Amino acid sequence: MTWYPRNKYCWDFWFAWEGQTLHVFYLQASQLLCAYNAERRHGLASVGHAVLTDFGWKEIDPDKPVLEKREGDFWDNLAIWTGSIIQEDNLYYLFYTARRREDLLVETPHERRLPQNIGVATSKDLRNWTRTPATLKKPVIPNPGIKSEFDGSNWRDPHVIKDDTDGKYYAFICARPRESAPDVGGVIAIATSSNLSDWQDEPYKILYQSDQFYLMEVPQVFWRKTNDGKYWRFYLLFGPHWSPFFINKVPIGVTYYVCSQPIEDRSKVSYDRIPWENEPANILCKNYYVGKFVNPETETYPAFFGFRKQDEGGHFVGGISDPQWATFADDGTISLSDFKPN
């Protein structure tokens, strides 16, 4: 049964571990403040928090968001959007997306939008979060702007990992090039850091560019050994943003993935030179949007969660689904099951 925090809309989410306890962080908005219109949730979003118990998800401090917008003339004074959490040296880092209400709108092929930027907050216990001194002043991974190769608006959903082959940190970011077709061309951009606090200046590199989708939202990336243990594959999961592709081919609210060819020595491959399989993106799940795996690097059959973007009548649904379990085939493809294989 899908889980919902009480009296709130709930959508994009990400996970963190505290010992053996799984935590989930998610975008939330009060149904009352939205006047029960789910389309208003994006401008009222904050970050909620729950833990997985023997009886399902349990909301933590329902009346106290983990992170919310700042009041005043700050770069993150208009809602908090999707991010990710990484732990290093007993400290958790929550990277998040935000906007500034007073910024000038940027023209995009489908609409005029505020620029998106990325900041970070830290916590020792996953419950009490403080923005870093750098984030209090400005974004730690700033939008490169309209004079860069990107569109100056879309710069969100950072998924941050540490690569144990070089010790560096990588943020994978939903973005769009400034020069691209109006309905396709979405990219996952890459920013790098040696310490999670100081991130590279431009130019940012590109992990993957789609010839199918306008945007690739809420990315998740991971390395995984092939079934024979001889090679590595690199995977990218994402939710495809609307384009005319949907009208004829797939429903709204799905999760896609792409994977690399087998790689023998991953330390010799840079993220902007991943040898992707020469095929279109694969549908992982037709029922849930921007799904996420739990421990896909190491679990034989990792759990997958997602949320329903809309019902048959086109109304927003949200929530966090029951788990499904993934099986990775020898050719790199992924299938899901409602039951965990023995």
Side-chain angles (χ1 to χ4, degrees):
M1 179 181 295
T2 299
W3 178 82
Y4 304 90
R6 185 177 177 83
N7 297 326
K8 297 169 186 172
Y9 296 115
C10 166
W11 60 111
D12 300 358
F13 57 85
W14 55 99
F15 297 109
W17 285 98
E18 182 185 31
Q20 299 299 310
T21 301
L22 181 63
H23 294 244
V24 65
F25 296 79
Y26 47 86
L27 297 190
Q28 63 177 15
S30 163
Q31 294 176 345
L32 180 61
L33 292 179
C34 292
Y36 298 94
N37 180 352
E39 294 307 307
R40 297 181 179 179
R41 70 189 190 276
H42 299 295
L44 296 167
S46 61
V47 179
H49 179 200
V51 296
L52 188 60
T53 72
D54 291 340
F55 305 100
W57 295 108
K58 178 182 178 181
E59 193 174 6
I60 303 297
D61 291 335
D63 298 325
K64 179 186 175 184
V66 164
L67 199 68
E68 55 188 335
K69 69 178 183 180
R70 287 190 286 173
E71 300 292 343
D73 186 19
F74 299 105
W75 70 268
D76 53 359
N77 67 6
L78 178 59
I80 302 298
W81 283 359
T82 309
S84 64
I85 291 175
I86 184 171
Q87 182 182 11
E88 187 69 19
D89 295 332
N90 298 316
L91 194 64
Y92 296 94
Y93 293 76
L94 191 166
F95 288 84
Y96 66 94
T97 309
R99 298 168 297 159
R100 180 175 177 268
R101 189 184 301 274
E102 295 80 10
D103 280 345
L104 295 176
L105 296 171
V106 176
E107 294 282 354
T108 70
H110 290 286
E111 58 188 334
R112 301 173 72 206
R113 308 193 69 175
L114 290 169
Q116 300 152 13
N117 283 282
I118 297 170
V120 62
T122 60
S123 173
K124 294 182 179 180
D125 60 7
L126 290 174
R127 292 164 177 82
N128 300 286
W129 294 87
T130 303
R131 289 173 170 86
T132 64
T135 293
L136 290 174
K137 299 177 181 178
K138 61 182 181 179
V140 294
I141 310 179
N143 190 312
I146 58 175
K147 294 184 179 180
S148 71
E149 64 179 296
F150 299 97
D151 71 0
S153 173
N154 294 285
W155 192 254
R156 64 178 182 271
D157 307 344
H159 179 78
V160 179
I161 66 169
K162 182 178 183 179
D163 191 314
D164 55 16
T165 65
D166 62 10
K168 293 182 180 180
Y169 302 92
Y170 295 84
F172 299 90
I173 301 163
C174 168
R176 267 190 64 79
R178 182 164 50 87
E179 302 292 338
S180 62
D183 297 317
V184 296
V187 301
I188 301 299
I190 312 166
T192 60
S193 172
S194 61
N195 57 17
L196 289 173
S197 298
D198 303 305
W199 290 82
Q200 73 176 84
D201 294 325
E202 299 176 47
Y204 299 107
K205 296 183 179 180
I206 301 297
L207 170 72
Y208 183 83
Q209 181 165 11
S210 174
D211 59 4
Q212 296 174 270
F213 304 115
Y214 179 72
L215 285 168
M216 296 178 287
E217 296 188 302
V218 194
Q220 180 183 26
V221 302
F222 58 91
W223 288 97
R224 185 179 174 91
K225 277 284 193 178
T226 55
N227 291 341
D228 60 11
K230 295 180 179 180
Y231 302 95
W232 293 93
R233 286 189 188 269
F234 188 68
Y235 287 85
L236 163 65
L237 270 65
F238 61 90
H241 194 280
W242 187 90
S243 82
F245 183 85
F246 287 114
I247 296 175
N248 299 318
K249 297 188 178 182
V250 297
I252 293 176
V254 298
T255 300
Y256 270 74
Y257 73 94
V258 293
C259 72
S260 73
Q261 300 171 15
I263 297 170
E264 186 171 6
D265 185 354
R266 51 179 275 200
S267 67
K268 296 182 179 180
V269 179
S270 62
Y271 285 108
D272 61 329
R273 294 289 187 269
I274 294 289
W276 299 104
E277 291 283 10
N278 186 24
E279 60 185 15
N282 300 282
I283 292 181
L284 176 62
C285 182
K286 292 184 178 180
N287 300 319
Y288 297 117
Y289 192 61
V290 293
K292 292 286 183 75
F293 284 125
V294 178
N295 292 348
E297 300 87 351
T298 56
E299 290 288 334
T300 303
Y301 304 108
F304 171 88
F305 297 83
F307 76 86
R308 287 189 66 196
K309 193 168 187 178
Q310 64 182 39
D311 60 19
E312 290 76 7
H315 306 104
F316 176 75
V317 178
I320 299 176
S321 71
D322 283 341
Q324 295 177 289
W325 283 270
T327 298
F328 289 76
D330 292 341
D331 64 358
T333 56
I334 312 172
S335 59
L336 296 178
S337 172
D338 291 334
F339 303 96
K340 188 173 184 178
N342 294 323

